[in-house]
Amino acid sequence: MIFHRINIPTVTNTIGEPGKQDSTQNSSDHIQQKQTDENKELNITLEQAKDIALQKAGVSEQVYFKEAKLDFEDGRWKYEIEFMQDNVEYEAEIDAQTGVFYKWKIDRD
């Protein structure tokens, strides 16, 4: 199940009130654009993103995934993936459209 956060701006002025600008149109345009961005078709599945991360780490066996999820943040879809092998923890953020890494971190204990 995927949850999305949508911020709905409040309108503080009255439509048609003399001397005040109507912000209703800008608010609805922003919400419509965000919904359009969130409904884009993804080119990469979660399983493919996990495979991409494993390939970059050079590991394939006995891996424990701490987290692997799809997230919409800053106007883009990305996969957040954390996994461990032996005592090494890997953390990745991968673009769900292109497969490009936004973040790659290795923590050796």
Side-chain angles (χ1 to χ4, degrees), residues 45-57 59-69 79-86 88-92 94 101 104:
T45 67
L46 178 59
E47 289 304 313
Q48 289 171 323
K50 287 165 67 175
D51 288 342
I52 291 168
L54 291 174
Q55 193 171 30
K56 182 169 181 85
V59 300
S60 60
E61 296 179 8
Q62 298 187 8
V63 175
Y64 167 71
F65 283 93
K66 294 173 65 175
E67 179 180 55
K69 68 178 184 175
Y79 291 105
E80 296 176 354
I81 301 170
E82 292 181 34
F83 60 97
M84 293 188 73
Q85 184 187 41
D86 297 327
V88 181
E89 183 176 346
Y90 300 88
E91 187 176 335
I94 301 171
F101 283 83
W104 179 251

Side-chain angles (χ1 to χ4, degrees), residues 24-42:
T24 306
Q25 184 64 40
N26 290 340
S27 297
S28 63
D29 288 348
H30 173 72
I31 293 168
Q32 184 178 7
Q33 180 61 43
K34 186 166 184 171
Q35 288 172 342
T36 300
D37 290 343
E38 289 184 10
N39 291 329
K40 284 185 179 178
E41 188 173 317
L42 304 177

Side-chain angles (χ1 to χ4, degrees), residues 3-15:
F3 294 95
H4 303 282
R5 284 179 285 172
I6 298 177
N7 295 327
I8 301 174
T10 57
V11 178
T12 57
N13 58 339
T14 305
I15 297 173

Side-chain angles (χ1 to χ4, degrees), residues 74-108:
D74 298 328
R76 64 183 185 198
W77 284 107
K78 65 179 180 178
Y79 291 105
E80 296 176 354
I81 301 170
E82 292 181 34
F83 60 97
M84 293 188 73
Q85 184 187 41
D86 297 327
N87 287 324
V88 181
E89 183 176 346
Y90 300 88
E91 187 176 335
E93 289 183 5
I94 301 171
D95 186 288
Q97 295 285 64
T98 65
V100 172
F101 283 83
Y102 291 124
K103 178 181 182 180
W104 179 251
K105 181 179 174 185
I106 302 172
D107 187 15
R108 299 181 192 332

